[in-house]
Amino acid sequence: MHHATRLFHAVVLLFVATPVLAASLPIPEPPNLEARSYILVDFDSGQVLAAKNAEKAIEPASITKLMTTYILFDEIDQGNIALDDKVTISEKAWQMGGSKMFIEVGEQVSVDDLLHGMITSSGNDATVALAEHVGGTESSFADYMNQYARDLGLTDSHFVDASGWPHEDHVMSAHDIARLLGAIVRDFPDLYDQYFHQKKFTYAGIEQYNRNSLLWSDDSVDGGKTGHTESAGYCLAATAKRDDMRLVSVVTGTDSNNARKSQSQALLNYGFRFYESSQLFDADKQISEIRVWKGDETMLPVVADGAVHVAYPRGKRDELSTSAELPSNLSAPVKDGERLGTLHVKYGDKTLAEVPLYAGQAIAEGGIIRRLTDEVMMMFE
């Protein structure tokens, strides 16, 4: 079929940087952190602004609870469970060690309270109770976690339990953690706002404070999740929004609570100081067009999947350039949404983003006269 023989070339220039006398200034280097791994991601574009060992599978500890949270939020969003549903606390949930919400065996606790207990208090007991409520057993819920991980594109993650209790086969990478926290913000903004900003939570007369201490020191930080075990070290996933730009940071394997806080703050400050983010193309906006041979139409609009955002050095938007890499010869039929090529966004010689491009409509094969005419015309192209 013709789809297998298409040749690609990057010649469709969309817009060019304003000419400057000197080369584009280099992007400042990110801070040198002692964390075992870290990553800083621009939320809108998904661009990685700084990273170290970001694809390495590590022990995520209680950051695991972000995946449990995502599944619970999805169940609520689909109407499968409600915030006022009562959950009967099992002996397994009650006897969980580590951080606790302090629920009792046989107690009836609302999903709402358990979510606060899991997200704000990092309660292992609350987390297991929620996992059992959704999955029947924690092991069955772990199967859900791995399925969701595949659906979300978390390629370096594997889950054995809902809370992050240490196990050699229970792993995530810093990049996967950033993707997951970003997915919670993107897919469930109302529930995110309801549960992730809380600095403290009181249950059964016991007041506990959110371990994400950035919530107190940086007003732009509005959520995240901590994790700590002796083997994992001190870990923190955080997200912050200043003006129209949101960043997601993850640090793992630091040696103290203060270290994970200060290193996360350094990443966020670096991103906001040296970068800004803009929308280059609206959703459904035609980015380019391409000639189609042997079809019932000759020109095909080319689009991206949603709006196109890019993060770039602050104040340097006029120095960005874009080009579309598209087939040199494209013949009908073409399916609506068929992948056609790639949009490249550059700052000087540095590629900032590569965005998949798709057919903006379907084009069917033309009549016999059109096909024969184009067959002849293609010989002279």
Side-chain angles (χ1 to χ4, degrees):
M1 297 295 290
H2 62 274
H3 297 288
T5 59
R6 292 174 182 169
L7 301 177
F8 287 79
H9 57 121
V11 297
V12 184
L13 194 63
L14 303 178
F15 66 76
V16 187
T18 301
V20 290
L21 295 178
S24 298
L25 294 174
I27 298 173
E29 290 294 318
N32 185 21
L33 306 181
E34 295 181 356
R36 294 176 198 166
S37 68
Y38 64 78
I39 195 167
L40 178 69
V41 178
D42 174 55
F43 172 77
D44 284 324
S45 67
Q47 284 172 245
V48 176
L49 307 183
K52 170 187 171 183
N53 298 328
E55 313 301 330
K56 182 179 180 180
I58 52 93
E59 179 187 340
S62 281
I63 288 180
T64 297
K65 295 181 175 90
L66 290 175
M67 177 55 82
T68 303
T69 298
Y70 187 96
I71 296 173
L72 264 294
F73 282 1
D74 194 36
E75 288 286 293
I76 293 165
D77 190 59
Q78 294 184 53
N80 295 331
I81 61 175
L83 294 177
D84 58 1
D85 285 352
K86 296 296 184 181
V87 178
T88 302
I89 306 306
S90 69
E91 184 171 354
K92 179 181 180 180
W94 166 76
Q95 69 182 6
M96 286 296 296
S99 51
K100 299 171 71 70
M101 178 183 167
F102 299 104
I103 46 183
E104 300 291 338
V105 177
E107 189 178 6
Q108 295 275 305
V109 184
S110 70
V111 168
D112 176 53
D113 280 340
L114 289 171
L115 283 170
H116 283 294
M118 174 174 67
I119 297 168
T120 304
S121 305
S122 197
N124 293 329
D125 49 359
T127 305
V128 171
L130 287 168
E132 291 176 338
H133 184 62
V134 171
T137 66
E138 188 180 12
S139 61
S140 294
F141 187 82
D143 292 338
Y144 288 157
M145 297 171 79
N146 288 315
Q147 180 59 57
Y148 271 81
R150 288 189 289 271
D151 293 344
L152 289 168
L154 309 186
T155 56
D156 304 307
S157 297
H158 184 265
F159 300 98
V160 176
D161 58 69
S163 66
W165 200 258
H167 189 286
E168 62 181 0
D169 295 328
H170 187 102
V171 295
M172 299 185 74
S173 67
H175 202 170
D176 279 358
I177 293 168
R179 290 187 183 104
L180 180 55
L181 179 54
I184 292 173
V185 177
R186 178 191 68 231
D187 296 343
F188 312 108
D190 293 339
L191 288 166
Y192 173 78
D193 286 340
Q194 184 173 347
Y195 288 98
F196 273 85
H197 308 336
Q198 305 304 314
K199 295 180 179 179
K200 60 184 178 179
F201 174 60
T202 301
Y203 185 78
I206 301 171
E207 185 176 72
Q208 297 191 68
Y209 290 88
N210 195 317
R211 291 164 174 79
N212 179 10
S213 52
L214 286 175
L215 290 171
W216 280 267
S217 60
D218 186 339
D219 290 341
S220 69
V221 174
D222 57 15
K225 188 72 192 73
T226 60
H228 170 250
T229 65
E230 184 174 346
S231 54
Y234 290 81
C235 310
L236 174 60
T239 179
K241 186 174 183 180
R242 299 181 190 174
D243 298 323
D244 293 328
M245 186 178 189
R246 178 179 288 280
L247 297 176
V248 180
S249 68
V250 178
V251 298
T252 78
T254 67
D255 59 10
S256 69
N257 180 39
N258 284 337
R260 70 181 173 192
K261 175 186 176 182
S262 63
Q263 293 184 37
S264 297
Q265 188 71 75
L267 277 178
L268 293 170
N269 287 344
Y270 165 77
F272 287 122
R273 170 66 182 84
F274 293 111
Y275 287 88
E276 60 184 312
S277 182
S278 291
Q279 182 171 301
L280 297 187
F281 298 97
D282 295 337
D284 301 323
K285 174 75 174 181
Q286 177 177 315
I287 292 175
S288 185
E289 63 178 1
I290 186 172
R291 174 72 157 91
V292 177
W293 302 96
K294 306 179 185 180
D296 59 2
E297 295 186 48
T298 58
M299 300 305 296
L300 172 68
V302 177
V303 300
D305 182 14
V308 175
H309 295 84
V310 64
Y312 52 89
R314 184 164 291 279
K316 301 297 182 180
R317 192 183 194 284
D318 288 344
E319 297 185 34
L320 301 182
S321 64
T322 66
S323 60
E325 182 181 359
L326 294 167
S328 57
N329 287 291
L330 181 62
S331 297
V334 180
K335 297 178 181 177
D336 186 13
E338 180 179 339
R339 174 71 187 273
L340 293 179
T342 304
L343 172 71
H344 300 273
V345 184
K346 288 188 173 184
Y347 170 69
D349 294 333
K350 182 177 177 60
T351 297
L352 299 180
E354 295 182 338
V355 181
L357 294 176
Y358 304 91
Q361 67 180 60
I363 293 185
E365 280 190 332
I368 184 63
I369 295 176
R370 169 58 60 84
R371 296 201 305 273
L372 291 173
T373 302
D374 281 359
E375 187 74 43
V376 174
M377 293 181 65
M378 289 174 69
M379 296 172 62
F380 296 96
E381 281 292 310

